[in-house]
């Protein structure tokens, strides 16, 4: 099992450009979660998705950020018109069923976005 | 929303000594408390967790205690080894998927 795969691992963008981060969950996992980690801080919940559905996006900024998890293919976190404050590590996690308390929530290695 | 505070932010211990990290949470409805270890540039990995119906849990050199009345929980690492050096995060959850993380504790084990 390859684990949760995220790409790119590192992404550099200039202000105003778009960033697309991809996450392939572990095999058999249909629940995906995105978290953001700012430097020297803990992870902050952004969004929870199942296939073709956004379950909870309460942690997503209201503008410029969107997420999807299509029927086929990876989950994508999209950031439009990036600003320097978007520089962070973005972690994806997946689980076979809803919830972390099953102990089956696995994180990917993260995508580190740097905005110049 | 849930607010999790974690102390200390850095911790240096001599190899073989114990390390203790403490967290407090604000939402009394939280019922799941995991601890994650993150090495530099790597993904967070679950090392131990505890649910609100349990006061203490132990796994080899790692133990976690929970005081629901006081709304705090702690991680204890005994007989520390150099490979224990990492950033440790506590978290709390009531929704079962929306984890609220502490700011992290950088643990350095001196050989």
């Amino acid at each position: 099992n390859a684990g949760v795969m995220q790409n790119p691992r590192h992404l550099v963008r200039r202000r105003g450009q778009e960033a697309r981060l991809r996450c392939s969950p572990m095999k058999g996992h249909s629940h995906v979660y995105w978290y953001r980690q700012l430097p020297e801080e803990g992870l902050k919940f952004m969004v929870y998705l199942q296939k073709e559905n956004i379950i909870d996006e309460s942690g997503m900024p209201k503008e410029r950020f969107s997420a999807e998890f299509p029927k086929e293919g990876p989950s994508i976190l999209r950031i439009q018109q990036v600003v320097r404050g978007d520089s962070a590590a973005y972690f994806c996690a997946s689980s076979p069923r809803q919830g972390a308390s099953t102990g089956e929530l696995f994180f990917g290695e993260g995508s580190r976005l740097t905005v110049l | 929303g849930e607010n999790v505070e974690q102390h200390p932010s850095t911790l240096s211990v001599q190899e073989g000594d114990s390390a203790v990290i403490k967290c407090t949470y604000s939402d009394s409805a939280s019922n799941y408390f995991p601890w994650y270890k993150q090495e530099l540039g790597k993904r967070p990995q679950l090392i131990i967790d505890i649910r609100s119906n349990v006061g203490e849990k132990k796994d080899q050199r790692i133990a976690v205690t929970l005081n629901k009345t006081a709304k705090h929980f702690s991680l204890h690492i005994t007989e520390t080894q150099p490979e224990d050096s990492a950033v440790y995060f506590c978290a709390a959850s009531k929704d079962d998927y929306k984890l609220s993380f502490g700011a992290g504790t950088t643990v350095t084990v001196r050989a």
Side-chain angles (χ1 to χ4, degrees):
Chain A
N1 198 327
V4 179
M5 303 299 291
Q6 290 189 248
N7 69 82
R9 292 292 312 279
H10 300 275
L11 181 64
V12 179
R13 285 288 179 266
R14 296 191 180 279
R15 281 178 295 170
Q17 292 184 320
E18 178 179 287
R20 282 191 181 221
L21 310 177
R22 289 175 290 278
C23 169
S24 296
M26 286 181 71
K27 187 175 181 181
H29 288 194
S30 58
H31 300 252
V32 166
Y33 318 81
W34 286 92
Y35 282 78
R36 175 165 64 175
Q37 185 177 32
L38 295 171
E40 310 295 323
E41 293 188 14
L43 285 76
K44 297 273 193 288
F45 170 81
M46 299 182 75
V47 62
Y48 163 36
L49 311 104
Q50 293 180 31
K51 285 284 188 182
E52 299 184 279
N53 284 304
I54 297 174
I55 307 302
D56 182 348
E57 56 182 348
S58 58
M60 289 276 274
K62 293 291 185 283
E63 298 178 347
R64 302 187 298 107
F65 284 71
S66 62
E68 63 175 4
F69 189 16
K71 186 176 180 181
E72 300 291 337
S75 175
I76 295 175
L77 180 67
R78 181 183 178 201
I79 311 172
Q80 295 177 292
Q81 300 173 338
V82 296
V83 301
R84 289 213 173 112
D86 296 333
S87 296
Y90 292 84
F91 286 93
C92 171
S94 73
S95 64
R97 66 198 110 257
Q98 177 179 311
S101 64
T102 58
E104 294 175 314
L105 182 70
F106 294 95
F107 282 90
E109 296 283 358
S111 291
R112 282 153 184 82
L113 172 66
T114 301
V115 180
L116 301 178
Chain B
E2 174 68 278
N3 182 42
V4 177
E5 295 195 354
Q6 183 172 347
H7 300 280
S9 57
T10 61
L11 181 60
S12 180
V13 296
Q14 191 68 37
E15 183 177 359
D17 288 350
S18 295
V20 180
I21 304 170
K22 299 182 179 181
C23 289
T24 60
Y25 61 99
S26 60
D27 191 338
S28 56
S30 289
N31 54 20
Y32 175 63
F33 307 91
W35 286 86
Y36 287 84
K37 176 183 180 182
Q38 186 178 31
E39 296 176 0
L40 189 63
K42 299 292 187 181
R43 63 185 176 93
Q45 289 187 282
L46 178 70
I47 56 171
I48 195 167
D49 57 12
I50 192 166
R51 290 163 180 75
S52 59
N53 58 343
V54 176
E56 185 174 355
K57 183 177 179 180
K58 190 173 181 180
D59 182 4
Q60 299 183 336
R61 297 187 295 108
I62 295 173
V64 57
T65 59
L66 171 64
N67 183 326
K68 282 202 70 181
T69 302
K71 291 190 282 189
H72 66 68
F73 55 115
S74 301
L75 178 72
H76 303 252
I77 307 173
T78 58
E79 300 172 21
T80 53
Q81 300 168 5
E83 53 264 37
D84 294 330
S85 295
V87 181
Y88 291 80
F89 292 97
C90 62
S93 174
K94 65 176 182 179
D95 301 304
D96 207 29
Y97 58 84
K98 191 186 300 181
L99 297 173
S100 296
F101 284 82
T105 297
T106 301
V107 174
T108 303
V109 179
R110 307 186 306 271

